[in-house]
Amino acid sequence: MTQTPLTDRTALNKNRQRALCAPVLFLHEIAAAEVEDRLSVVNKSFTAPAVVTGFPQFWHSRMPEAHIVSDDEVLTLDPGAHDLVVHALCLHWANDPVGQLIQARRALRPDGLLLVALFGGATLSELRSALAQAEAEISGGLSPRVLPMAEIRDLGGLMQRAGLTLPVADTLPLTTSYANPMALMRELRGMGESNAMSARRKTLSRRNVLLRACDIYAQAFGTADGRIPATFEMIFLTGWAPDASQPQPLRPGSASARLADALGAVERPLKD
């Protein structure tokens, strides 16, 4: 049986094209600054970078020397052509995230670096909760409205499954503020992050559901000044293409010194 993909790529591309009319790219600005910070502490110069992104104009402006490719299901990256691949705030839309990572790893030279920025599971938690409660109250059920996103505890394992070594995952929680939930939804359209799930409702949302969601959002999460917060969890993953020069784990039983000696401790055998 053929499984329906999570993301409707046609709808996603339409959302991104619409966003270019009045783009809201402050989260990409933050991601780009974080990428630059992380690269600045790597003791290595990169001469053949590539960037995978849904917003090529922005990332070309930040990394003009990089080869920019779309986050299509099949990445247009040549095997072994790059010493750095940045997957920039689009892996959360991938129907096959491990496949995307494998393709990026294959594009790396030995000891090349993959750096991924994506949204994590806490993103838009307030909006998700308000929409779910409103729809349950009014429609008696739920429809997919906010993309499910991965938790950081699962993402390091994805890097290893993709064949990358020395994987590291860390998170940057961000809280933004809006006049009301409708202002947040308008800004999501400007980000190109509107609902593009294959299982979404294909008709316009009922006005009473949206109005009720706005009320719930404001009541549950509103601040004293009448505004509402919105959480964006940005997760960063790094991993390296395997190379013989990298640190290797020791073979079990190959240690030449005892931990007790190094700590100056008295070793006592356990009783049977």
Side-chain angles (χ1 to χ4, degrees):
M1 183 175 65
T2 302
Q3 185 174 5
T4 302
L6 176 67
T7 299
D8 179 343
R9 298 290 306 184
T10 300
L12 177 62
N13 290 333
K14 286 181 179 178
N15 289 347
R16 288 172 172 173
Q17 286 299 315
R18 182 177 59 187
L20 294 178
C21 298
V24 178
L25 298 174
F26 72 92
L27 292 172
H28 286 267
E29 292 278 3
I30 293 171
E34 290 290 326
V35 166
E36 291 168 3
D37 284 346
R38 283 161 170 75
L39 293 178
S40 70
V41 300
V42 176
N43 187 25
K44 185 180 178 73
S45 296
F46 299 100
T47 59
V51 178
V52 180
T53 176
F55 287 88
Q57 296 92 337
F58 170 83
W59 283 92
H60 176 71
S61 72
R62 294 301 294 259
M63 299 181 68
E65 74 287 1
H67 175 54
I68 309 293
V69 302
S70 174
D71 62 323
D72 297 327
E73 301 289 358
V74 178
L75 302 177
T76 54
L77 294 172
D78 293 331
H82 303 283
D83 54 5
L84 169 68
V85 174
V86 177
H87 207 294
L89 279 188
C90 49
L91 188 65
H92 55 286
W93 283 114
N95 286 313
D96 181 12
V98 176
Q100 289 275 300
L101 297 178
I102 290 172
Q103 292 179 72
R105 190 258 300 162
R106 288 175 177 167
L108 288 170
R109 300 168 183 170
D111 203 35
L113 175 64
L114 174 62
L115 202 165
V116 181
L118 73 158
F119 292 121
T123 298
L124 298 175
S125 55
E126 303 93 347
L127 180 61
R128 193 189 313 269
S129 173
L131 284 170
Q133 184 177 337
E135 192 160 33
E137 287 180 7
I138 294 173
S139 303
L142 297 176
S143 61
R145 291 181 178 272
V146 180
L147 184 73
M149 300 176 196
E151 301 293 338
I152 189 171
R153 62 178 178 269
D154 302 320
L155 291 169
L158 294 187
M159 299 288 275
Q160 291 178 314
R161 286 175 59 190
L164 293 147
T165 65
L166 309 174
V168 175
D170 64 280
T171 183
L172 177 66
L174 303 166
T175 302
T176 56
S177 175
Y178 294 90
N180 53 61
M182 296 304 292
L184 167 61
M185 294 180 203
R186 286 193 296 271
E187 195 143 287
L188 289 174
R189 287 194 290 272
M191 297 177 188
E193 296 291 339
S194 298
N195 192 351
M197 287 186 286
S198 296
R200 72 193 186 283
R201 287 183 184 272
K202 304 303 191 293
T203 56
L204 291 176
S205 297
R206 293 170 57 182
R207 179 175 174 81
N208 55 348
V209 172
L210 291 180
L211 291 177
R212 178 59 181 142
C214 289
D215 289 341
I216 293 169
Y217 200 132
Q219 292 168 10
F221 305 106
T223 58
D225 59 0
R227 296 177 66 83
I228 56 102
T231 298
F232 293 93
E233 181 187 27
M234 203 173 289
I235 295 176
F236 295 88
L237 310 173
T238 57
W240 296 83
D243 184 70
S245 66
Q246 294 168 352
Q248 302 295 319
L250 293 175
R251 179 173 51 82
S254 63
S256 59
R258 297 166 66 250
L259 180 60
D261 293 339
L263 297 176
V266 176
E267 187 176 18
R268 293 184 176 86
L270 293 175
K271 295 181 180 179
D272 293 336

